[in-house]
Amino acid sequence: MTVEAPSRPALAERQARVAVAVLFFTNGALFANLLPRYPQIKADLGLSNSLYGLAVAAFPAGAIAAGLAAGVAIRRLGSARAAVLGTLLTGAGILAAGLADSVALFAGALFLAGAMDAVTDVAQNAHGLRVQRRYGRSIINSFHAVWSIGAVAGGSMAAAAIALGLSRGQHLTISAVVFAVAACIALRYCLPGPETETEPGTETANGPAPASESASVPDAGGRVEGAAGPGTRGRRTVYVLAALVLIATAGTLVEDAGSSWATLYLSGSLHASVTLAAFGYIALVGAQFIGRVIGDRLVDRFGQRTVARAGGLITAAGMGLALAVPSVPGTVLGFAAAGFGVATLVPAAMHEADELPGLKPGSGLAIVSWLMRLGFLASPPIVGLVTDATSLRVGLLVVPLAGLLAFLLAGVLRNRHH
């Protein structure tokens, strides 16, 4: 038995892949340019900690408010144009937040930026998945890796601007213009035509799609049942969509645990130095980046379901062991294992949601992204309440539990591979 090697993508597909990577890079870099400016904004506006917390929560609130509109924008404008328009408006919102002279304007600008960021996020993933279908193999994880690079580049750009003494207006204007130009150039090389290109029998990201699969959904064990009636298919679609939301949320819960609590746990509970405590989050993000860089090859080799299950186990075992036997080196390694384990979860959930039958183009992707953000917004206060009632060590059990959840629900992901 021989396996036919995939043909080399045409020039248009290769250019579109670079274009989508540019969109992911700009999306990661834009908001990261604002974050290092937060302390100065807080001081200039004279905000208390509680008022500051409410103000910056406007960004995820805007994302939640506009999340479901992303599917409509994709159907009206096309995924590429929706992503670029969202990028331009995100940059404008971030610039307005940097220039705001009142807490109301600051929060309002962040709300706009968050809303447009949500549209960009869904649209760029939708277009990336279009390109992936043309490639006939997994490439979506590489886009998320590029987003991470963009976030690092944006933070570094902000640090350089502060070091050079640039005002917030100068710095964020430069950022908005540079990334707006980059996004507009990228638009020229995105794929033309309608969003729904895959017909029965054409190549998908996980291999050739049988004609019957266009009207079928994998069940909890990964089996495809195309002969079920419309009512059964509808219920199964809802079940799979709910499972995909939980898988994506598991990935974001781990990310949030690293960004919100890793440094506090290492410096407070484990008495690590401030410098060493920072390595908890650095280890998580660094390992997640590595996981996304190699994630596409792993998915092509072993299948999406197998990779997600293995990642869930790595997350649960790595962080579970770190919490069971607490030490500074062990906890840093535990966060690294968690970051590596969840690296492909959000891209996998988005990929599967984008191919669910019976939904309008972009709808499944928008629903997963929207509800995932709700989980992301809810996780910090939940962990905080558990921590206040017990300890941060107990609160961080959310990480191994998220890994276990991903392992249990990964059966809804398809496992075809070359």
Side-chain angles (χ1 to χ4, degrees):
M1 179 177 178
T2 60
V3 178
E4 182 180 352
S7 58
R8 177 177 171 80
L11 177 61
E13 280 75 38
R14 298 198 303 274
Q15 289 177 334
R17 181 178 184 178
V18 173
V20 174
V22 170
L23 293 177
F24 271 81
F25 182 92
T26 60
N27 184 245
L30 271 173
F31 189 55
N33 264 278
L34 180 63
L35 290 175
R37 294 288 191 172
Y38 272 178
Q40 185 184 8
I41 293 172
K42 180 177 180 292
D44 288 349
L45 296 180
L47 303 180
S48 64
N49 288 325
S50 58
L51 191 56
Y52 168 76
L54 287 173
V56 297
F59 187 90
I64 291 168
L68 290 181
V72 177
I74 289 171
R75 291 191 292 274
R76 294 282 180 86
L77 302 174
S79 55
R81 287 193 291 272
V84 172
L85 178 60
T87 298
L88 300 182
L89 293 176
T90 299
I94 289 172
L95 174 59
L99 295 175
D101 57 2
S102 71
V103 65
L105 290 176
F106 178 57
L110 286 180
F111 187 90
L112 169 65
M116 293 302 99
D117 178 76
V119 172
T120 301
D121 183 39
V122 175
Q124 68 187 9
N125 274 284
H127 204 77
L129 290 167
R130 278 190 67 192
V131 177
Q132 176 171 275
R133 286 190 285 272
R134 294 280 194 96
Y135 263 65
R137 58 183 172 84
S138 179
I139 60 172
I140 190 66
N141 291 289
S142 67
F143 295 136
H144 286 257
V146 170
W147 186 95
S148 299
I149 297 174
V152 173
S156 301
M157 183 176 171
I162 293 171
L164 292 173
L166 296 181
S167 68
R168 289 199 301 273
Q170 292 171 326
H171 161 215
L172 295 175
T173 297
I174 293 170
S175 171
V177 170
V178 166
F179 295 121
V181 170
C184 290
I185 293 174
L187 179 61
R188 296 181 55 195
Y189 298 96
C190 289
L191 296 176
E195 295 302 305
T196 53
E197 299 177 304
T198 303
E199 299 295 336
T202 60
E203 189 83 359
T204 73
N206 287 316
S212 63
E213 197 167 293
S214 62
S216 62
V217 181
D219 65 12
R223 297 178 294 275
V224 173
E225 300 180 22
T232 303
R233 287 201 301 270
R235 288 192 298 272
R236 188 173 294 117
T237 296
V238 171
Y239 163 71
V240 172
L241 195 57
L244 294 176
V245 168
L246 290 174
I247 290 172
T249 301
T252 59
L253 285 176
V254 173
E255 292 180 25
D256 179 72
S259 61
S260 300
W261 305 106
T263 302
L264 290 176
Y265 178 65
L266 282 162
S267 61
S269 302
L270 301 184
H271 309 294
S273 67
V274 175
T275 303
L276 190 55
F279 277 90
Y281 178 63
I282 292 171
L284 185 144
V285 174
Q288 185 182 55
F289 171 73
I290 293 171
R292 286 174 171 173
V293 168
I294 67 174
D296 291 315
R297 289 192 291 273
L298 293 175
V299 168
D300 285 334
R301 174 67 179 85
F302 300 106
Q304 193 71 265
R305 190 191 321 145
T306 300
V307 172
R309 280 179 171 162
L313 282 179
I314 291 171
T315 300
M319 198 63 197
L321 182 61
L323 293 173
V325 188
S327 69
V328 172
T331 299
V332 171
L333 290 176
F335 276 112
F340 185 82
V342 303
T344 67
L345 292 186
V346 172
M350 288 183 166
H351 171 215
E352 200 71 37
D354 196 50
E355 297 191 345
L356 282 177
L359 299 176
K360 294 178 181 179
S363 294
L365 195 58
I367 291 169
V368 167
S369 178
W370 181 61
L371 292 176
M372 175 185 74
R373 288 175 185 268
L374 280 175
F376 191 74
L377 185 64
S379 66
I382 291 174
V383 173
L385 287 172
V386 172
T387 299
D388 285 342
T390 55
S391 67
L392 183 50
R393 183 182 173 193
V394 174
L396 284 174
L397 285 173
V398 68
V399 176
L401 289 176
L404 184 60
L405 182 66
F407 172 79
L408 294 174
L409 295 177
V412 301
L413 302 171
R414 284 170 289 184
N415 216 25
R416 292 191 310 275
H417 55 277
H418 299 298

